[in-house]
Coordinates of all heavy atoms in Angstrom, one line a residue:
V1298 N 109.8 87.8 100.7 CA 111.2 88.2 100.6 C 111.7 88.2 102.0 O 111.3 89.1 102.8 CB 111.3 89.6 99.9 CG1 112.8 89.9 99.7 CG2 110.6 89.6 98.6
E1299 N 112.5 87.3 102.3 CA 113.0 87.1 103.7 C 114.3 86.4 103.7 O 114.5 85.4 103.1 CB 111.9 86.3 104.5 CG 112.3 85.8 105.9 CD 112.6 86.9 106.8 OE1 111.6 87.6 107.2 OE2 113.7 87.1 107.2
D1300 N 115.3 87.0 104.4 CA 116.7 86.4 104.4 C 116.9 85.4 105.5 O 117.9 84.7 105.5 CB 117.7 87.5 104.4 CG 117.6 88.3 105.7 OD1 116.5 88.7 106.1 OD2 118.7 88.7 106.3
E1301 N 116.0 85.3 106.5 CA 116.1 84.3 107.6 C 115.4 83.0 107.2 O 114.1 83.0 107.1 CB 115.6 84.8 108.9 CG 116.5 85.9 109.5 CD 115.9 86.6 110.7 OE1 115.8 86.0 111.7 OE2 115.5 87.8 110.6
I1304 N 112.5 81.6 109.4 CA 111.2 82.4 109.3 C 110.5 82.2 107.9 O 109.3 82.0 107.9 CB 111.5 83.9 109.6 CG1 112.0 84.0 111.0 CG2 110.3 84.7 109.3 CD1 112.4 85.4 111.4
D1343 N 110.3 91.5 104.1 CA 111.1 91.8 105.3 C 111.9 93.1 105.1 O 112.1 93.5 103.9 CB 112.1 90.7 105.5 CG 113.0 90.9 106.8 OD1 112.4 91.4 107.8 OD2 114.2 90.5 106.8
L1344 N 112.2 93.8 106.1 CA 112.8 95.2 106.0 C 114.3 95.1 105.7 O 114.8 95.6 104.8 CB 112.5 96.0 107.2 CG 112.8 97.5 107.0 CD1 112.0 98.1 105.9 CD2 112.6 98.2 108.3
M1345 N 115.0 94.4 106.7 CA 116.4 94.4 106.6 C 116.8 93.1 105.7 O 116.6 92.0 106.2 CB 117.1 94.3 108.0 CG 116.8 95.5 108.8 SD 117.0 97.1 108.0 CE 118.8 97.0 107.8
L1346 N 117.4 93.4 104.6 CA 117.7 92.3 103.7 C 119.1 92.5 103.1 O 119.5 93.7 102.9 CB 116.8 92.3 102.5 CG 115.3 92.0 102.8 CD1 114.4 92.5 101.6 CD2 115.1 90.5 103.0
P1347 N 119.8 91.5 102.7 CA 121.1 91.7 102.0 C 120.7 92.2 100.6 O 119.7 91.9 100.0 CB 121.7 90.3 101.8 CG 120.7 89.3 102.5 CD 119.5 90.1 102.9
V1369 N 107.4 93.3 107.2 CA 107.7 92.8 108.5 C 109.1 93.3 108.9 O 110.0 93.4 108.1 CB 107.6 91.2 108.5 CG1 106.2 90.8 108.2 CG2 108.6 90.6 107.6
A1371 N 111.9 93.3 112.6 CA 112.1 92.9 114.0 C 112.0 94.1 114.9 O 111.9 93.9 116.1 CB 113.5 92.2 114.1
K1392 N 108.2 91.3 114.2 CA 108.6 89.9 114.6 C 108.9 89.9 116.1 O 109.4 90.9 116.6 CB 109.9 89.6 113.8 CG 109.8 89.4 112.3 CD 111.2 89.1 111.8 CE 111.3 89.3 110.3 NZ 112.7 89.1 109.8
Ligands
CA2685 CA1 116.1 90.3 107.6

Side-chain angles (χ1 to χ4, degrees):
V1298 187
E1299 171 63 70
D1300 59 319
E1301 290 172 68
I1304 295 176
D1343 184 34
L1344 190 63
M1345 298 312 292
L1346 293 161
V1369 297
K1392 295 178 195 172

